[in-house]
Amino acid sequence: MRSIRLRSGGLLIAVTATAAALAVTAIGPAAAPAAAAPTEATSPQPGDACTTADLGTRHPYIKSTEVSPTITHFKGWYVTEGTTGEQAVTTTTTTTIKVTVGLDDKIEASFAVDALNKAGVSVGLSVKMESSTTSTESNAVTWNFNQPGYYGVYKGTKKVTGTYGSLNCNRAQQTDGSWALRWAEGPGSGSFTTYTTLEEGAVRCQDQVPAGSVMAEAQTLLDCGASTAKTAHPAGAVAPTAKQRQDRLAQPAAPAERPRAAARAAALDCQSAVYKIEVPGKPLSWGAPLLANDGVRLRPSSIFSAHLDNWRLCNVTESNGVLEATLWNWGNGGCATIAEQDASAERAILTTASCAEDDLQRFYIYRDVPGSTSIGVQNKYTGSMMGHDRYADGEFIRQYSSGRQDGTGTYHLTGV
C-alpha cells in the first residue's frame, strides 16, 4: 500500500482506529502524526508594562482565529476492476488561498511574519509565513487504488483566518493619578489569511473519515448523494457534479488593492512650538533634505543647519493619549512623508514633499510619561515605526514594520 505523501513540514490529522483500519483496505495507511506547532516567544499583551526603549516599536497580537479544512485541488475518479493500482491523476484547482496580512500579500515585513507566527501558535498549527498561494502547487496526485469504486482525488489544507491588532507603547494614567508606560492597542489592525502545508489523498463515499478533517471536506465535495456517485462509469475522470461546480464559483474574491491615500493642497494649522527630533544623548537629529530626491537623515545641529533640523507639529489631534500630527519642516517648507511607491517596503526612506491632506504625511507620536521628552513615531498610512539602522552622520531615517527592537527608534522631541 502507498501512504499519503506530504511535503516536509506538512500537517496531517491522525485518523481514528476504525477509519485507519478502513484506510488500510480502501485508500492507504493511516496518516502520519501532525507536525509540531511553532513555539511562541514572550509577547506583550494589552496593559502590560513597557519601557522607554519600546516607544519606537510595535507588536501584533491575535484577536480572533478560525480554522477551516479546504480542498484546493480535486477530481472525481472512477476505478473499475481492471484499473486498480497506482495511477497519476491530474486534478483541477478548486480553491486558491493566498497568504495575506492586512491588504498586503507580499509577506516581507517583520510585523507580518510575526503576526502569522502568532496566529499559528494560537491554533497549534504550523502555517505558511511567507508569500505563498495554493495556485502554484502542482495539481498531480499519484495514488494506489486497490479497490474499485468512485473516488475523490484531492489536495487540501487547513485555511487559517482571523483578525489581529497592533500593540504600541504609550503613556497611561493610573488610578492613583500617576503615569506609566503600557502596551495599548494602536492603529494597524486588520485581517490575515494563511494555510498549512498541503496534504493529498483519495476518499470514497463509504469511507469513514474524521470529522473536520481535510479528507472529510473532500468527501463532502464528492457529493455522495448525486447520481454520479451511484452509477457505473468507465475508468478515469468523472465530470464535476453540480455541487462541485457551485463550490468553485463560490470562491471568495481576491483581496482588494491597497487604497491610495488622497493628496491635495493643504492649509496647515501648525503649533507655534519648534522642535528637534533628537537621538537621545547624542548630537545628531532628524535633518530634512535640501534636494527633492534625498531623504531625512541624521545630521548635527549647528548655525549652518538652516532650520532643516527644526520641525513643527501641525493639524494636531489626540486620541487615547496618542498624538496625531503632520511634521512640517521649517528649513525646506515640506512635510515628512513616505513616498507612495515605497509605502509597503520595509526600510523605505522617510523624505519630505509638498504638504497635502495625505495619510502618508500623518504620524502617530507615542510619548513617555510627563517630564520625559522621549517619543516613538509611526506613519499613519503604512503603520510602520520610524528608526535608523545605525548612529552615524548622514544615516537615513527609515520605516520598520515592527520598529527597531534595539531601542534606536526612540527619539527626543526637544523644544528649540
Side-chain angles (χ1 to χ4, degrees):
M1 288 296 298
R2 180 181 179 278
S3 61
I4 294 177
R5 301 191 307 173
L6 291 177
R7 301 183 191 277
S8 175
L11 178 74
L12 201 56
I13 295 178
V15 298
T16 61
T18 303
L22 181 60
V24 170
T25 60
I27 57 173
T39 302
E40 184 177 21
T42 302
S43 181
Q45 298 298 314
D48 286 354
C50 54
T51 68
T52 302
D54 294 319
L55 287 170
T57 67
R58 70 168 180 155
H59 295 276
Y61 78 101
I62 303 305
K63 302 170 72 173
S64 67
T65 56
E66 181 178 348
V67 179
S68 55
T70 303
I71 300 303
T72 58
H73 304 74
F74 188 86
K75 176 72 75 176
W77 196 258
Y78 200 81
V79 177
T80 63
E81 283 288 351
T83 61
T84 54
E86 187 172 281
Q87 299 183 43
V89 179
T90 300
T91 61
T92 301
T93 300
T94 62
T95 302
T96 298
I97 304 173
K98 180 179 287 187
V99 178
T100 60
V101 175
L103 296 174
D104 292 329
D105 55 17
K106 293 182 179 179
I107 311 301
E108 299 171 345
S110 58
F111 182 87
V113 173
D114 195 12
L116 294 176
N117 177 58
K118 286 180 169 63
V121 169
S122 68
V123 295
L125 297 173
S126 295
V127 300
K128 296 284 186 178
M129 292 187 290
E130 68 279 344
S131 301
S132 183
T133 174
T134 58
S135 63
T136 61
E137 296 279 350
S138 168
N139 64 354
V141 177
T142 302
W143 198 253
N144 184 21
F145 301 94
N146 64 357
Q147 290 192 15
Y150 177 48
Y151 289 84
V153 182
Y154 67 89
K155 284 190 176 184
T157 185
K158 281 182 163 42
K159 181 180 180 181
V160 182
T161 57
T163 58
Y164 65 88
S166 174
L167 291 180
N168 290 83
C169 181
N170 194 51
R171 62 166 66 171
Q173 192 164 23
Q174 310 303 295
T175 54
D176 62 358
S178 64
W179 292 84
L181 287 176
R182 300 288 182 189
W183 290 107
E185 183 172 1
S189 62
S191 60
F192 63 85
T193 299
T194 185
Y195 60 94
T196 62
T197 303
L198 266 64
E199 62 177 80
E200 64 182 39
V203 64
R204 302 180 304 168
C205 291
Q206 61 267 43
D207 294 333
Q208 297 179 20
V209 297
S213 65
V214 173
M215 188 181 295
E217 190 69 13
Q219 193 178 58
T220 300
L221 194 58
L222 194 57
D223 202 3
C224 295
S227 58
T228 306
K230 303 174 182 178
T231 307
H233 292 271
V238 177
T241 65
K243 183 180 187 308
Q244 293 164 20
R245 290 192 295 269
Q246 181 180 3
D247 286 353
R248 291 176 193 173
L249 292 174
Q251 286 195 62
E257 184 180 352
R258 188 186 189 105
R260 293 188 176 185
R264 58 186 175 85
L268 298 178
D269 178 15
C270 296
Q271 296 179 348
S272 59
V274 180
Y275 299 96
K276 291 180 182 178
I277 306 176
E278 299 178 312
V279 177
K282 304 287 186 178
L284 301 183
S285 62
W286 290 19
L290 277 174
L291 303 177
N293 60 351
D294 199 3
V296 177
R297 299 173 182 264
L298 292 180
R299 293 295 192 190
S301 295
S302 70
I303 59 174
F304 304 107
S305 297
H307 294 300
L308 291 172
D309 57 346
N310 292 166
W311 302 83
R312 280 187 171 141
L313 305 185
C314 305
N315 295 355
V316 180
T317 62
E318 183 174 348
S319 178
N320 297 323
V322 179
L323 295 182
E324 180 185 328
T326 298
L327 305 180
W328 177 81
N329 186 263
W330 189 357
N332 69 9
C335 288
T337 188
I338 297 294
E340 184 177 2
Q341 67 270 20
D342 299 328
S344 62
E346 186 81 349
R347 300 181 70 253
I349 294 169
L350 182 68
T351 186
T352 58
S354 298
C355 299
E357 292 290 345
D358 188 334
D359 282 348
L360 283 165
Q361 296 184 5
R362 297 290 285 173
F363 293 85
Y364 296 112
I365 299 175
Y366 300 94
R367 295 172 291 174
D368 201 351
V369 299
S372 169
T373 60
S374 295
I375 62 167
V377 184
Q378 179 183 29
N379 186 268
K380 179 178 182 179
Y381 184 72
T382 69
S384 293
M385 310 298 295
M386 300 300 110
H388 54 273
D389 281 344
R390 74 184 196 279
Y391 179 76
D393 185 358
E395 182 69 16
F396 282 117
I397 302 299
R398 301 175 184 271
Q399 69 169 5
Y400 303 84
S401 60
S402 295
R404 298 288 293 170
Q405 301 300 317
D406 60 0
T408 52
T410 294
Y411 297 97
H412 281 177
L413 188 67
T414 307
V416 176

